[in-house]
Amino acid sequence: MKKALILGITGQDGSYLAEFLLNKGYEVHGLIRKSSTGNTKNIKHILDKITLHRGDMLDVTSLYKAIKEVEPDEIYNEADQDHVSWSYDSPGYSCDITGGAVGKVLEAIRQINPKIKFFQPVSSNMFGKTDISPQDENTPFRPQSPYAAAKVLAFELARYYRDVFGMFVSTGIFYNHESPRRTEEYVTGKIVHAAARIKLGLQEKLYLGDLSTRVDFGYAPDYMDAAWNILQQESPDDFIICTGEAHSIQEFLEEAFNYLELDPEKYVEFDKQFVRPGKTSDLVGDFSKATKAFNYQPTVKFKELVKILVDAAMETVKKEKYLKDMPK
């Protein structure tokens, strides 16, 4: 039985990956950090099937200890500060945990067992401002946020350990990928939950920033399938994972509201506080390399994705309404 260690197992990607690997027959371990609010919501249904280890991406001792104890065949790093807007306010922390910590993990692997396979997800935001569309694995980077710059560092560290030490270190250049496990800190989660609350009479207005940004929206479980496939290749490499389609935030908004028979113009207002200081180009990827290597194809496209997210948000908000309407 193969063993996998997932760093960031409680997040959107880490939790879907844990489910995927369990279905593949893996023994699954995860690194979990201290949280004042509790952070096992996404994995509570599989807690009896996985083993958790306490640690933190900024604490090299805990990383070394977890890897040494688990002796995994594969490590997937799904832990980072993955919110672009947050990175403008906390650039140091974002760079440390999203970029610098990758070097700590890779060095620990090199010292403990350099034969461990390592997967590092990076981001389409690395391309930032670019005149090339669609982007492929050779498109130059020009990041427009501390988060994106940190992902460039993670990418280069992955290549360094692969090239210099011959380690099996692969990356997935992931474009935006969503799921019902996205929190409302992200614009997609914010939109679908607002639409649901407006529909059920719990909210009156939704405030958003720039709606013109065009995004390549994918479905998170598809991307975790790809992450596993990337580590099953004969040689380590870098692969773009995306849908190959770009849709604006405005389109996403309209699709979500129209699905609930709401007119977004009646409820949505612009708020400059949500406009990012660094604007990227339209980012849409070319996933042909992944298709050739392991037959990657996105299974969920834009319209279906929006419906999945809205339906899930409606279920969540109905529970909110039920609790709100309960007699005190």
PDB file of all heavy atoms in Angstrom, residues 126-155:
ATOM      1  N   MET A 126       1.342  33.442 -11.821  1.00  0.00           N
ATOM      2  CA  MET A 126       2.767  33.662 -12.094  1.00  0.00           C
ATOM      3  C   MET A 126       2.962  34.375 -13.433  1.00  0.00           C
ATOM      4  O   MET A 126       3.904  35.141 -13.599  1.00  0.00           O
ATOM      5  CB  MET A 126       3.529  32.332 -12.111  1.00  0.00           C
ATOM      6  CG  MET A 126       3.496  31.564 -10.801  1.00  0.00           C
ATOM      7  SD  MET A 126       4.612  30.140 -10.778  1.00  0.00           S
ATOM      8  CE  MET A 126       4.047  29.175 -12.176  1.00  0.00           C
ATOM      9  N   PHE A 127       2.061  34.139 -14.374  1.00  0.00           N
ATOM     10  CA  PHE A 127       2.191  34.769 -15.697  1.00  0.00           C
ATOM     11  C   PHE A 127       1.851  36.257 -15.640  1.00  0.00           C
ATOM     12  O   PHE A 127       2.366  37.046 -16.437  1.00  0.00           O
ATOM     13  CB  PHE A 127       1.297  34.053 -16.716  1.00  0.00           C
ATOM     14  CG  PHE A 127       1.624  32.605 -16.904  1.00  0.00           C
ATOM     15  CD1 PHE A 127       0.663  31.622 -16.725  1.00  0.00           C
ATOM     16  CD2 PHE A 127       2.911  32.200 -17.247  1.00  0.00           C
ATOM     17  CE1 PHE A 127       0.954  30.275 -16.900  1.00  0.00           C
ATOM     18  CE2 PHE A 127       3.222  30.855 -17.429  1.00  0.00           C
ATOM     19  CZ  PHE A 127       2.238  29.886 -17.244  1.00  0.00           C
ATOM     20  N   GLY A 128       0.957  36.614 -14.708  1.00  0.00           N
ATOM     21  CA  GLY A 128       0.659  38.023 -14.447  1.00  0.00           C
ATOM     22  C   GLY A 128       0.290  38.822 -15.672  1.00  0.00           C
ATOM     23  O   GLY A 128      -0.708  38.564 -16.335  1.00  0.00           O
ATOM     24  N   LYS A 129       1.121  39.816 -15.985  1.00  0.00           N
ATOM     25  CA  LYS A 129       0.912  40.621 -17.193  1.00  0.00           C
ATOM     26  C   LYS A 129       1.642  39.954 -18.343  1.00  0.00           C
ATOM     27  O   LYS A 129       2.865  39.862 -18.354  1.00  0.00           O
ATOM     28  CB  LYS A 129       1.454  42.031 -16.976  1.00  0.00           C
ATOM     29  CG  LYS A 129       0.434  42.995 -16.383  1.00  0.00           C
ATOM     30  CD  LYS A 129       0.827  44.423 -16.677  1.00  0.00           C
ATOM     31  CE  LYS A 129      -0.260  45.417 -16.332  1.00  0.00           C
ATOM     32  NZ  LYS A 129      -1.579  45.127 -16.871  1.00  0.00           N
ATOM     33  N   THR A 130       0.898  39.457 -19.294  1.00  0.00           N
ATOM     34  CA  THR A 130       1.505  38.756 -20.426  1.00  0.00           C
ATOM     35  C   THR A 130       0.757  39.079 -21.712  1.00  0.00           C
ATOM     36  O   THR A 130      -0.459  39.304 -21.704  1.00  0.00           O
ATOM     37  CB  THR A 130       1.507  37.228 -20.187  1.00  0.00           C
ATOM     38  OG1 THR A 130       2.076  36.558 -21.313  1.00  0.00           O
ATOM     39  CG2 THR A 130       0.089  36.705 -19.950  1.00  0.00           C
ATOM     40  N   ASP A 131       1.499  39.101 -22.816  1.00  0.00           N
ATOM     41  CA  ASP A 131       0.892  39.305 -24.136  1.00  0.00           C
ATOM     42  C   ASP A 131       0.613  37.976 -24.820  1.00  0.00           C
ATOM     43  O   ASP A 131       0.098  37.946 -25.935  1.00  0.00           O
ATOM     44  CB  ASP A 131       1.834  40.139 -25.019  1.00  0.00           C
ATOM     45  CG  ASP A 131       2.062  41.535 -24.461  1.00  0.00           C
ATOM     46  OD1 ASP A 131       1.117  42.070 -23.844  1.00  0.00           O
ATOM     47  OD2 ASP A 131       3.173  42.070 -24.622  1.00  0.00           O
ATOM     48  N   ILE A 132       0.979  36.877 -24.151  1.00  0.00           N
ATOM     49  CA  ILE A 132       0.838  35.547 -24.752  1.00  0.00           C
ATOM     50  C   ILE A 132      -0.459  34.900 -24.280  1.00  0.00           C
ATOM     51  O   ILE A 132      -0.724  34.810 -23.085  1.00  0.00           O
ATOM     52  CB  ILE A 132       2.039  34.658 -24.365  1.00  0.00           C
ATOM     53  CG1 ILE A 132       3.347  35.280 -24.862  1.00  0.00           C
ATOM     54  CG2 ILE A 132       1.871  33.246 -24.910  1.00  0.00           C
ATOM     55  CD1 ILE A 132       4.594  34.616 -24.317  1.00  0.00           C
ATOM     56  N   SER A 133      -1.272  34.462 -25.222  1.00  0.00           N
ATOM     57  CA  SER A 133      -2.516  33.775 -24.887  1.00  0.00           C
ATOM     58  C   SER A 133      -2.842  32.752 -25.973  1.00  0.00           C
ATOM     59  O   SER A 133      -2.807  33.083 -27.160  1.00  0.00           O
ATOM     60  CB  SER A 133      -3.669  34.771 -24.751  1.00  0.00           C
ATOM     61  OG  SER A 133      -4.836  34.128 -24.304  1.00  0.00           O
ATOM     62  N   PRO A 134      -3.140  31.498 -25.604  1.00  0.00           N
ATOM     63  CA  PRO A 134      -3.101  30.975 -24.238  1.00  0.00           C
ATOM     64  C   PRO A 134      -1.662  30.784 -23.760  1.00  0.00           C
ATOM     65  O   PRO A 134      -0.739  30.722 -24.568  1.00  0.00           O
ATOM     66  CB  PRO A 134      -3.828  29.637 -24.368  1.00  0.00           C
ATOM     67  CG  PRO A 134      -3.549  29.197 -25.775  1.00  0.00           C
ATOM     68  CD  PRO A 134      -3.548  30.460 -26.590  1.00  0.00           C
ATOM     69  N   GLN A 135      -1.488  30.687 -22.448  1.00  0.00           N
ATOM     70  CA  GLN A 135      -0.169  30.458 -21.887  1.00  0.00           C
ATOM     71  C   GLN A 135       0.135  28.953 -21.886  1.00  0.00           C
ATOM     72  O   GLN A 135      -0.769  28.126 -21.742  1.00  0.00           O
ATOM     73  CB  GLN A 135      -0.082  30.980 -20.441  1.00  0.00           C
ATOM     74  CG  GLN A 135      -0.323  32.470 -20.299  1.00  0.00           C
ATOM     75  CD  GLN A 135      -1.811  32.810 -20.171  1.00  0.00           C
ATOM     76  OE1 GLN A 135      -2.539  32.139 -19.444  1.00  0.00           O
ATOM     77  NE2 GLN A 135      -2.256  33.856 -20.862  1.00  0.00           N
ATOM     78  N   ASP A 136       1.420  28.622 -22.055  1.00  0.00           N
ATOM     79  CA  ASP A 136       1.834  27.231 -21.904  1.00  0.00           C
ATOM     80  C   ASP A 136       2.977  27.163 -20.891  1.00  0.00           C
ATOM     81  O   ASP A 136       3.308  28.155 -20.243  1.00  0.00           O
ATOM     82  CB  ASP A 136       2.225  26.605 -23.251  1.00  0.00           C
ATOM     83  CG  ASP A 136       3.435  27.276 -23.903  1.00  0.00           C
ATOM     84  OD1 ASP A 136       4.238  27.939 -23.192  1.00  0.00           O
ATOM     85  OD2 ASP A 136       3.608  27.129 -25.123  1.00  0.00           O
ATOM     86  N   GLU A 137       3.589  25.989 -20.769  1.00  0.00           N
ATOM     87  CA  GLU A 137       4.606  25.779 -19.737  1.00  0.00           C
ATOM     88  C   GLU A 137       5.870  26.602 -19.959  1.00  0.00           C
ATOM     89  O   GLU A 137       6.692  26.722 -19.036  1.00  0.00           O
ATOM     90  CB  GLU A 137       4.963  24.290 -19.650  1.00  0.00           C
ATOM     91  CG  GLU A 137       3.867  23.398 -19.085  1.00  0.00           C
ATOM     92  CD  GLU A 137       2.762  23.035 -20.067  1.00  0.00           C
ATOM     93  OE1 GLU A 137       2.858  23.438 -21.259  1.00  0.00           O
ATOM     94  OE2 GLU A 137       1.802  22.345 -19.674  1.00  0.00           O
ATOM     95  N   ASN A 138       6.039  27.184 -21.126  1.00  0.00           N
ATOM     96  CA  ASN A 138       7.236  27.976 -21.410  1.00  0.00           C
ATOM     97  C   ASN A 138       6.982  29.488 -21.434  1.00  0.00           C
ATOM     98  O   ASN A 138       7.896  30.263 -21.720  1.00  0.00           O
ATOM     99  CB  ASN A 138       7.836  27.540 -22.761  1.00  0.00           C
ATOM    100  CG  ASN A 138       8.289  26.086 -22.732  1.00  0.00           C
ATOM    101  OD1 ASN A 138       8.998  25.666 -21.831  1.00  0.00           O
ATOM    102  ND2 ASN A 138       7.848  25.311 -23.719  1.00  0.00           N
ATOM    103  N   THR A 139       5.760  29.901 -21.133  1.00  0.00           N
ATOM    104  CA  THR A 139       5.445  31.326 -21.113  1.00  0.00           C
ATOM    105  C   THR A 139       6.201  32.012 -19.968  1.00  0.00           C
ATOM    106  O   THR A 139       6.194  31.521 -18.840  1.00  0.00           O
ATOM    107  CB  THR A 139       3.931  31.535 -20.926  1.00  0.00           C
ATOM    108  OG1 THR A 139       3.232  30.909 -22.016  1.00  0.00           O
ATOM    109  CG2 THR A 139       3.579  33.016 -20.895  1.00  0.00           C
ATOM    110  N   PRO A 140       6.879  33.138 -20.229  1.00  0.00           N
ATOM    111  CA  PRO A 140       7.623  33.838 -19.167  1.00  0.00           C
ATOM    112  C   PRO A 140       6.712  34.341 -18.052  1.00  0.00           C
ATOM    113  O   PRO A 140       5.542  34.655 -18.275  1.00  0.00           O
ATOM    114  CB  PRO A 140       8.268  35.017 -19.918  1.00  0.00           C
ATOM    115  CG  PRO A 140       8.282  34.611 -21.353  1.00  0.00           C
ATOM    116  CD  PRO A 140       7.054  33.778 -21.539  1.00  0.00           C
ATOM    117  N   PHE A 141       7.270  34.411 -16.848  1.00  0.00           N
ATOM    118  CA  PHE A 141       6.525  34.881 -15.682  1.00  0.00           C
ATOM    119  C   PHE A 141       6.660  36.391 -15.523  1.00  0.00           C
ATOM    120  O   PHE A 141       7.725  36.961 -15.751  1.00  0.00           O
ATOM    121  CB  PHE A 141       7.035  34.218 -14.405  1.00  0.00           C
ATOM    122  CG  PHE A 141       6.957  32.718 -14.415  1.00  0.00           C
ATOM    123  CD1 PHE A 141       7.984  31.944 -13.891  1.00  0.00           C
ATOM    124  CD2 PHE A 141       5.849  32.062 -14.940  1.00  0.00           C
ATOM    125  CE1 PHE A 141       7.920  30.572 -13.892  1.00  0.00           C
ATOM    126  CE2 PHE A 141       5.770  30.675 -14.947  1.00  0.00           C
ATOM    127  CZ  PHE A 141       6.813  29.930 -14.425  1.00  0.00           C
ATOM    128  N   ARG A 142       5.563  37.028 -15.094  1.00  0.00           N
ATOM    129  CA  ARG A 142       5.603  38.440 -14.707  1.00  0.00           C
ATOM    130  C   ARG A 142       4.545  38.661 -13.628  1.00  0.00           C
ATOM    131  O   ARG A 142       3.484  39.223 -13.882  1.00  0.00           O
ATOM    132  CB  ARG A 142       5.361  39.342 -15.923  1.00  0.00           C
ATOM    133  CG  ARG A 142       5.726  40.810 -15.622  1.00  0.00           C
ATOM    134  CD  ARG A 142       5.535  41.681 -16.832  1.00  0.00           C
ATOM    135  NE  ARG A 142       5.714  43.081 -16.496  1.00  0.00           N
ATOM    136  CZ  ARG A 142       5.439  44.082 -17.339  1.00  0.00           C
ATOM    137  NH1 ARG A 142       4.974  43.823 -18.552  1.00  0.00           N
ATOM    138  NH2 ARG A 142       5.617  45.326 -16.965  1.00  0.00           N
ATOM    139  N   PRO A 143       4.799  38.185 -12.420  1.00  0.00           N
ATOM    140  CA  PRO A 143       3.794  38.228 -11.348  1.00  0.00           C
ATOM    141  C   PRO A 143       3.396  39.634 -10.965  1.00  0.00           C
ATOM    142  O   PRO A 143       4.199  40.560 -11.027  1.00  0.00           O
ATOM    143  CB  PRO A 143       4.497  37.503 -10.189  1.00  0.00           C
ATOM    144  CG  PRO A 143       5.958  37.640 -10.469  1.00  0.00           C
ATOM    145  CD  PRO A 143       6.082  37.623 -11.967  1.00  0.00           C
ATOM    146  N   GLN A 144       2.124  39.784 -10.532  1.00  0.00           N
ATOM    147  CA  GLN A 144       1.579  41.098 -10.181  1.00  0.00           C
ATOM    148  C   GLN A 144       1.070  41.148  -8.736  1.00  0.00           C
ATOM    149  O   GLN A 144       0.281  42.023  -8.385  1.00  0.00           O
ATOM    150  CB  GLN A 144       0.434  41.445 -11.146  1.00  0.00           C
ATOM    151  CG  GLN A 144       0.848  41.545 -12.605  1.00  0.00           C
ATOM    152  CD  GLN A 144       1.821  42.688 -12.853  1.00  0.00           C
ATOM    153  OE1 GLN A 144       1.501  43.839 -12.598  1.00  0.00           O
ATOM    154  NE2 GLN A 144       3.016  42.374 -13.332  1.00  0.00           N
ATOM    155  N   SER A 145       1.524  40.224  -7.909  1.00  0.00           N
ATOM    156  CA  SER A 145       1.152  40.216  -6.490  1.00  0.00           C
ATOM    157  C   SER A 145       2.222  39.461  -5.718  1.00  0.00           C
ATOM    158  O   SER A 145       2.941  38.632  -6.291  1.00  0.00           O
ATOM    159  CB  SER A 145      -0.206  39.532  -6.288  1.00  0.00           C
ATOM    160  OG  SER A 145      -0.112  38.144  -6.583  1.00  0.00           O
ATOM    161  N   PRO A 146       2.333  39.715  -4.404  1.00  0.00           N
ATOM    162  CA  PRO A 146       3.269  38.931  -3.589  1.00  0.00           C
ATOM    163  C   PRO A 146       2.957  37.434  -3.656  1.00  0.00           C
ATOM    164  O   PRO A 146       3.880  36.609  -3.669  1.00  0.00           O
ATOM    165  CB  PRO A 146       3.052  39.490  -2.180  1.00  0.00           C
ATOM    166  CG  PRO A 146       2.602  40.891  -2.395  1.00  0.00           C
ATOM    167  CD  PRO A 146       1.732  40.833  -3.619  1.00  0.00           C
ATOM    168  N   TYR A 147       1.673  37.086  -3.696  1.00  0.00           N
ATOM    169  CA  TYR A 147       1.295  35.671  -3.815  1.00  0.00           C
ATOM    170  C   TYR A 147       1.879  35.050  -5.077  1.00  0.00           C
ATOM    171  O   TYR A 147       2.490  33.978  -5.042  1.00  0.00           O
ATOM    172  CB  TYR A 147      -0.237  35.548  -3.837  1.00  0.00           C
ATOM    173  CG  TYR A 147      -0.731  34.209  -4.337  1.00  0.00           C
ATOM    174  CD1 TYR A 147      -0.672  33.078  -3.528  1.00  0.00           C
ATOM    175  CD2 TYR A 147      -1.242  34.073  -5.634  1.00  0.00           C
ATOM    176  CE1 TYR A 147      -1.113  31.852  -3.994  1.00  0.00           C
ATOM    177  CE2 TYR A 147      -1.686  32.844  -6.100  1.00  0.00           C
ATOM    178  CZ  TYR A 147      -1.623  31.738  -5.276  1.00  0.00           C
ATOM    179  OH  TYR A 147      -2.046  30.515  -5.749  1.00  0.00           O
ATOM    180  N   ALA A 148       1.710  35.735  -6.201  1.00  0.00           N
ATOM    181  CA  ALA A 148       2.203  35.213  -7.471  1.00  0.00           C
ATOM    182  C   ALA A 148       3.724  35.128  -7.483  1.00  0.00           C
ATOM    183  O   ALA A 148       4.306  34.157  -7.993  1.00  0.00           O
ATOM    184  CB  ALA A 148       1.708  36.088  -8.620  1.00  0.00           C
ATOM    185  N   ALA A 149       4.380  36.135  -6.911  1.00  0.00           N
ATOM    186  CA  ALA A 149       5.841  36.121  -6.843  1.00  0.00           C
ATOM    187  C   ALA A 149       6.325  34.950  -5.986  1.00  0.00           C
ATOM    188  O   ALA A 149       7.331  34.299  -6.301  1.00  0.00           O
ATOM    189  CB  ALA A 149       6.350  37.442  -6.280  1.00  0.00           C
ATOM    190  N   ALA A 150       5.611  34.671  -4.890  1.00  0.00           N
ATOM    191  CA  ALA A 150       5.974  33.551  -4.016  1.00  0.00           C
ATOM    192  C   ALA A 150       5.805  32.220  -4.749  1.00  0.00           C
ATOM    193  O   ALA A 150       6.592  31.287  -4.560  1.00  0.00           O
ATOM    194  CB  ALA A 150       5.119  33.576  -2.753  1.00  0.00           C
ATOM    195  N   LYS A 151       4.788  32.125  -5.593  1.00  0.00           N
ATOM    196  CA  LYS A 151       4.587  30.907  -6.374  1.00  0.00           C
ATOM    197  C   LYS A 151       5.716  30.714  -7.400  1.00  0.00           C
ATOM    198  O   LYS A 151       6.112  29.584  -7.697  1.00  0.00           O
ATOM    199  CB  LYS A 151       3.227  30.944  -7.075  1.00  0.00           C
ATOM    200  CG  LYS A 151       2.052  30.612  -6.179  1.00  0.00           C
ATOM    201  CD  LYS A 151       2.109  29.191  -5.657  1.00  0.00           C
ATOM    202  CE  LYS A 151       0.838  28.773  -4.956  1.00  0.00           C
ATOM    203  NZ  LYS A 151       0.927  27.409  -4.378  1.00  0.00           N
ATOM    204  N   VAL A 152       6.232  31.822  -7.931  1.00  0.00           N
ATOM    205  CA  VAL A 152       7.388  31.721  -8.831  1.00  0.00           C
ATOM    206  C   VAL A 152       8.582  31.140  -8.070  1.00  0.00           C
ATOM    207  O   VAL A 152       9.305  30.270  -8.585  1.00  0.00           O
ATOM    208  CB  VAL A 152       7.753  33.094  -9.443  1.00  0.00           C
ATOM    209  CG1 VAL A 152       9.057  32.995 -10.230  1.00  0.00           C
ATOM    210  CG2 VAL A 152       6.629  33.599 -10.348  1.00  0.00           C
ATOM    211  N   LEU A 153       8.786  31.594  -6.835  1.00  0.00           N
ATOM    212  CA  LEU A 153       9.869  31.039  -6.016  1.00  0.00           C
ATOM    213  C   LEU A 153       9.664  29.545  -5.793  1.00  0.00           C
ATOM    214  O   LEU A 153      10.607  28.752  -5.921  1.00  0.00           O
ATOM    215  CB  LEU A 153       9.938  31.775  -4.672  1.00  0.00           C
ATOM    216  CG  LEU A 153      10.921  31.196  -3.637  1.00  0.00           C
ATOM    217  CD1 LEU A 153      12.344  31.161  -4.183  1.00  0.00           C
ATOM    218  CD2 LEU A 153      10.861  31.996  -2.341  1.00  0.00           C
ATOM    219  N   ALA A 154       8.426  29.150  -5.466  1.00  0.00           N
ATOM    220  CA  ALA A 154       8.133  27.727  -5.258  1.00  0.00           C
ATOM    221  C   ALA A 154       8.447  26.916  -6.520  1.00  0.00           C
ATOM    222  O   ALA A 154       9.036  25.831  -6.452  1.00  0.00           O
ATOM    223  CB  ALA A 154       6.666  27.550  -4.868  1.00  0.00           C
ATOM    224  N   PHE A 155       8.057  27.458  -7.670  1.00  0.00           N
ATOM    225  CA  PHE A 155       8.298  26.793  -8.949  1.00  0.00           C
ATOM    226  C   PHE A 155       9.798  26.623  -9.210  1.00  0.00           C
ATOM    227  O   PHE A 155      10.259  25.545  -9.607  1.00  0.00           O
ATOM    228  CB  PHE A 155       7.648  27.614 -10.075  1.00  0.00           C
ATOM    229  CG  PHE A 155       7.835  27.037 -11.449  1.00  0.00           C
ATOM    230  CD1 PHE A 155       6.984  26.055 -11.924  1.00  0.00           C
ATOM    231  CD2 PHE A 155       8.856  27.492 -12.285  1.00  0.00           C
ATOM    232  CE1 PHE A 155       7.147  25.524 -13.202  1.00  0.00           C
ATOM    233  CE2 PHE A 155       9.027  26.974 -13.553  1.00  0.00           C
ATOM    234  CZ  PHE A 155       8.169  25.982 -14.020  1.00  0.00           C
TER     235      PHE A 155
END
